[in-house]
Amino acid sequence: MSELYIRVAEDESEEPMEIPSEDDGTVLLSSVAAQFPGACGLRYRNPESQCMRGVRLVEGVLHAPENDWGNLVYVVNYPKDNKRKMDEIDAASAVKIKRGFQKTSDLIVLGLPWKTTEQDLKDYFSTFGEVIMVQVKRDAKTGNSKGFGFVRFTDYETQMKVIAQRHMIDGRWCDCKLPNSKACPDEPMRSRKIFVGRCTEDMTTDDLRQYFMQYGEVTDVFIPKPFRAFAFVTFADDQVAQALCGEDLIIKGVSVHISNAEPKHNNIHQLFPHFPGGSASLAAMFDRSQYLFPTSHV
């Protein structure tokens, strides 16, 4: 006798697939599961009552209702737990597909040893995924490394994985971050100066310079006098400064907080709204140094 096929689909609204029956007219559950992994049975809609009916299953064999499969579309049954798992897999796949369309960005690599070359960077980061670009920033006059660089990956998920951890490169721990200009493209260019809060009196300008040089070239360090428990550090590159903002760092055993050193007109009045004489008096008080409190200074 000619081989008989029955029409099976995951859902009534989907296009059915033809599944072969056996010589005796039955259908093996394994034949259904081969096309629909996890299937545990079949059901169909009764043409008269319009209710769903289950197909009889005996020891892995599906039997035709009233000995005739007819021209109906049979819908696959899944165990409840398995169905939930499949839904979760579909959702995860959707997220993965969505991420696949997200573009990667240049990541700033902070704290590079002076000896690290672009080939060293590429060799290290290639262990995470395909690298599109690497760059070690160097002084235009001397050619010496500035202690930081950039890397870009092909895959967005690789980028997120790299950002989520610290990296030991040539014997030194380095951080990989999205520069602020990439994270918030609508923001104006940021300052190269950072505000270092919670300083102690035994911290000198040399201490701060020596510490922050590991992140990039430092052009200036300023500690106000009389001592006010804060300092300012200026980098040659604004991306290094902005990458450090929001960090809590340990200097000489003390936790200091790094924030953006904003222009005075943007923040003095916000910091001291009730200061006698208003912001003009405050500005005059700090004019000697030309360094001002940031908005976030705690």
Side-chain angles (χ1 to χ4, degrees):
M1 61 179 288
S2 61
E3 196 169 25
L4 174 70
Y5 288 83
I6 69 167
R7 300 194 300 163
V8 178
E10 276 200 333
D11 190 88
E12 287 184 283
S13 61
E14 293 185 5
E15 184 177 352
M17 174 182 289
E18 291 188 332
I19 303 291
S21 67
E22 302 303 302
D23 291 341
D24 60 359
T26 61
V27 173
L28 298 178
L29 180 59
S30 58
S31 298
V32 177
Q35 305 302 324
F36 302 92
C40 65
L42 294 176
R43 65 185 186 276
Y44 67 99
R45 189 172 297 281
N46 185 298
E48 295 178 3
S49 67
Q50 291 302 303
C51 294
M52 297 301 289
R53 282 189 180 180
V55 174
R56 189 160 58 94
L57 174 66
V58 180
E59 295 181 350
V61 178
L62 293 158
H63 295 265
E66 300 178 3
N67 297 317
D68 183 14
W69 292 105
N71 199 34
L72 300 171
V73 174
Y74 294 86
V75 180
V76 178
N77 289 335
Y78 291 102
K80 286 186 178 180
D81 289 344
N82 191 48
K83 179 69 165 64
R84 189 177 298 116
K85 187 179 290 185
M86 291 186 68
D87 289 342
E88 289 172 359
I89 291 171
D90 289 343
S93 299
V95 171
K96 199 171 285 186
I97 290 169
K98 184 179 179 182
R99 282 182 177 171
F101 289 109
Q102 290 183 270
K103 292 182 180 179
T104 57
S105 303
D106 291 352
L107 303 180
I108 187 167
V109 187
L110 297 170
L112 284 177
W114 308 118
K115 66 178 182 179
T116 301
T117 65
E118 290 181 350
Q119 188 59 50
D120 293 333
L121 267 190
K122 186 169 185 179
D123 290 345
Y124 174 79
F125 284 112
S126 292
T127 61
F128 293 89
E130 185 179 352
V131 174
I132 298 175
M133 177 279 297
V134 291
Q135 180 186 27
V136 174
K137 295 294 284 185
R138 298 185 179 278
D139 184 273
K141 294 180 181 178
T142 65
N144 294 332
S145 168
K146 291 185 175 182
F148 71 98
F150 296 91
V151 62
R152 176 178 281 201
F153 295 93
T154 303
D155 185 63
Y156 181 80
E157 294 214 350
T158 302
Q159 171 177 301
M160 299 311 293
K161 184 172 155 186
V162 167
I163 291 174
Q165 64 186 79
R166 301 196 77 199
H167 304 273
M168 177 64 75
I169 301 175
D170 287 342
R172 177 185 281 182
W173 284 110
C174 301
D175 293 302
C176 223
K177 300 184 177 185
L178 264 177
N180 278 26
S181 57
K182 295 288 183 185
C184 305
D186 295 332
E187 292 186 2
M189 184 177 291
R190 295 294 195 171
S191 170
R192 294 180 293 114
K193 187 189 304 177
I194 59 171
F195 175 92
V196 185
R198 303 198 293 251
C199 293
T200 55
E201 289 193 65
D202 65 334
M203 291 182 188
T204 66
T205 55
D206 286 340
D207 290 333
L208 294 179
R209 183 183 297 274
Q210 195 66 34
Y211 179 84
F212 284 105
M213 277 176 57
Q214 66 179 300
Y215 297 105
E217 182 183 350
V218 174
T219 60
D220 185 59
V221 178
F222 177 78
I223 300 176
K225 294 181 180 179
F227 180 70
R228 298 181 187 138
F230 67 86
F232 293 91
V233 176
T234 306
F235 290 94
D237 194 290
D238 66 310
Q239 290 181 312
V240 175
Q242 294 311 308
L244 288 172
C245 288
E247 295 288 329
D248 289 297
L249 306 174
I250 304 297
I251 302 177
K252 297 187 77 171
V254 176
S255 174
V256 300
H257 183 72
I258 311 301
S259 53
N260 193 34
E262 297 181 1
K264 61 188 178 183
H265 301 300
N266 290 354
N267 54 57
I268 278 192
H269 190 63
Q270 294 174 11
L271 279 172
F272 303 101
H274 305 298
F275 188 85
S279 56
S281 299
L282 277 167
M285 185 175 78
F286 292 116
D287 256 352
R288 290 173 297 172
S289 68
Q290 297 297 311
Y291 288 93
L292 302 160
F293 288 105
T295 300
S296 174
H297 64 288
V298 202

